[in-house]
Amino acid sequence: MTRVAFLGTPAAALPTLNALVAANDVALVVTQPDRPRGRSKQPVASSIKAAGVELGLRVEQPTTAAGLFEALSSVPGLDVAVVVAYGRIIRPESLIIPGMGMLNVHFSLLPRWRGAAPVNRALIAGDSMTGVTIIKLDEGLDTGPVLTAQAVDIEAGENAGSLTDRLAILGARLLAGSLPSYLSGDLAPQPQSDEGLTYASKIEKGDRVIDIRHTPMEIVNLIRGLAPDPAAVLTIDGQPHKILQASVVEEVIDEGTWETRSGLPVVGLLDGSFRIDSIQPPGRSAMPSADWLRGLSVQSGQVE
C-alpha cells in the first residue's frame, strides 16, 4: 500500500484527506498550529487536525521549516506527499523527502491564479471559469509540472465559500484518479506554461474595503469573492458592515447614499447602484438585509 504524508489546514482539504485514507497508508498528517479564534481568542485546532485525530492518524504541527523537515524525515519509506491549502511555503529540502515528491491540489487552472487565494481572486476578477490543477511541487510558487487539470464553469451567484467546496470535491476526485497512474509511471507530469499567468495574492485588510467609485459589477464580484469570510466591508452611517451578498440593480440613488427600495437597501455609486441582500452589522450575526432594515429607525443614510 502506498505510504503517504498529507499536508493541509482548512476544511477544503478534508475531501482529499478522506480520499487518501480510503485507499492508502496515510502515515503522517501535517497542519498549521492551533490559532486563536473568536472573542475568547482561545486556540482552535484546524479542520485537518480535528479530522486526523478522529481518524487515529499521526498529526504534527511544525512551526518552522526545520520542524517540517524533521516530521517528514521521521516517516520511513514515504512514497509521496499530497498538499492541499497547507498555508506555508515548503522548502526544497522537504520537497525531496518523499520518493515520488509532493503533489499539490490547487484550486485554479494554472498558470492562472498562482498563489495564496486563487478562488477569491477568480471571483473578484469576474472570471466565468476556473478549475483544479494537480501539479508536482517544485521550488517555485505553483510553477511545477502538471499531472492533470479539470475546468468548471463558475455559477451565477456562487461565492468563495460555495465555489471552494465544489472545487475541494473535484480536487479529491482528480487526485484519487491520477495518483495510481503517477506512482506507476504511466502518468508523467508535463511542464507548466506561463501563458496567461496571473498571481492570486493573499487577501489583505485593504482588499476588503468596498470602494463606491467602482462599478456595481466590480463591487458585486468583490463581495462574492470574499463571502462568507473574511467578507467585504462597507461603512454605513459611520459603522463598518460586512456585506455577504449583493446584486446589481437599475435604481437611481445619489452617490454615497443608501435608500430603501422595495424593502431592501440600495447603494448609490458614481456609476449605477447595487442592492444589499445579506449583511452582518458590527457585533451581530449575518442576516437578510430586510431583517436588518426592520431593526432600524431610518430608511436611508450615508455610505463611504
Side-chain angles (χ1 to χ4, degrees), residues 27 118 168 244:
L244 303 175

Side-chain angles (χ1 to χ4, degrees), residues 107-108 113 115-127 130 154 158-164 167 199-204 207-208 220-232:
F107 297 157
S108 81
W113 303 125
V119 177
N120 306 100
R121 295 297 179 185
L123 286 165
I124 291 170
D127 289 1
T130 187
I154 296 177
E158 201 164 25
N159 66 23
S162 58
L163 180 55
T164 297
L167 295 178
Y199 285 102
S201 57
K202 180 181 177 181
I203 300 297
E204 304 289 354
D207 296 326
R208 299 173 54 202
V220 168
N221 286 340
L222 177 70
I223 292 165
R224 292 174 64 197
L226 298 179
D229 184 67

Side-chain angles (χ1 to χ4, degrees), residues 14-94:
L14 285 172
T16 299
L17 174 59
N18 290 331
L20 288 170
V21 168
N24 303 275
D25 172 19
V26 178
L28 174 67
V29 172
V30 180
T31 190
Q32 292 278 353
D34 297 357
R35 304 293 189 196
R37 299 274 179 84
R39 294 182 181 179
S40 69
K41 301 300 182 184
Q42 292 298 311
V44 176
S46 71
S47 297
I48 289 299
K49 178 182 178 180
V53 170
E54 184 175 348
L55 290 166
L57 304 174
R58 175 188 166 194
V59 178
E60 297 287 345
Q61 297 173 278
T63 58
T64 63
L68 175 59
F69 178 84
E70 182 179 349
L72 292 168
S73 298
S74 69
V75 181
L78 186 59
D79 294 304
V80 68
V82 175
V83 183
V84 185
Y86 174 47
R88 282 183 182 271
I89 299 296
I90 301 171
R91 298 283 295 274
E93 58 267 27
S94 291

Side-chain angles (χ1 to χ4, degrees), residues 55-296:
L55 290 166
L57 304 174
R58 175 188 166 194
V59 178
E60 297 287 345
Q61 297 173 278
T63 58
T64 63
L68 175 59
F69 178 84
E70 182 179 349
L72 292 168
S73 298
S74 69
V75 181
L78 186 59
D79 294 304
V80 68
V82 175
V83 183
V84 185
Y86 174 47
R88 282 183 182 271
I89 299 296
I90 301 171
R91 298 283 295 274
E93 58 267 27
S94 291
L95 291 174
I96 61 175
I97 292 173
M100 295 290 287
M102 291 192 178
L103 303 182
N104 177 226
V105 180
H106 185 80
F107 297 157
S108 81
L109 292 176
L110 292 170
R112 186 159 178 81
W113 303 125
R114 290 178 184 168
V119 177
N120 306 100
R121 295 297 179 185
L123 286 165
I124 291 170
D127 289 1
S128 61
M129 179 180 292
T130 187
V132 174
T133 308
I134 298 178
I135 62 172
K136 183 176 182 181
L137 285 177
D138 61 13
E139 296 181 25
L141 178 63
D142 300 324
T143 57
V146 174
L147 275 71
T148 188
Q150 185 171 330
V152 296
D153 291 329
I154 296 177
E155 298 174 0
E158 201 164 25
N159 66 23
S162 58
L163 180 55
T164 297
D165 290 345
R166 193 155 63 95
L167 295 178
I169 294 170
L170 172 61
R173 186 166 67 244
L174 276 181
L175 188 280
S178 59
L179 183 58
S181 297
Y182 169 71
L183 294 172
S184 69
D186 292 332
L187 177 60
Q190 300 300 309
Q192 187 182 145
S193 170
D194 284 338
E195 185 177 352
L197 168 63
T198 55
Y199 285 102
S201 57
K202 180 181 177 181
I203 300 297
E204 304 289 354
K205 185 175 182 180
D207 296 326
R208 299 173 54 202
V209 177
I210 294 174
D211 188 339
I212 60 172
R213 294 170 298 181
H214 289 172
T215 68
M217 184 56 70
E218 287 171 337
I219 289 174
V220 168
N221 286 340
L222 177 70
I223 292 165
R224 292 174 64 197
L226 298 179
D229 184 67
V233 176
L234 179 67
T235 298
I236 303 175
D237 297 329
Q239 294 293 319
H241 290 64
K242 293 181 178 180
I243 310 301
L244 303 175
Q245 186 177 353
S247 307
V248 176
V249 292
E250 298 294 332
E251 298 276 4
V252 179
I253 307 288
D254 289 342
E255 179 190 355
T257 68
W258 70 270
E259 294 183 14
T260 302
R261 295 289 177 92
S262 301
L264 295 171
V266 178
V267 177
L269 307 172
L270 178 63
D271 181 19
S273 58
F274 72 94
R275 184 183 68 223
I276 298 173
D277 298 314
S278 179
I279 190 169
Q280 184 174 351
R284 300 174 65 185
S285 299
M287 63 184 71
S289 59
D291 292 348
W292 173 70
L293 280 177
R294 280 192 285 269
L296 299 181

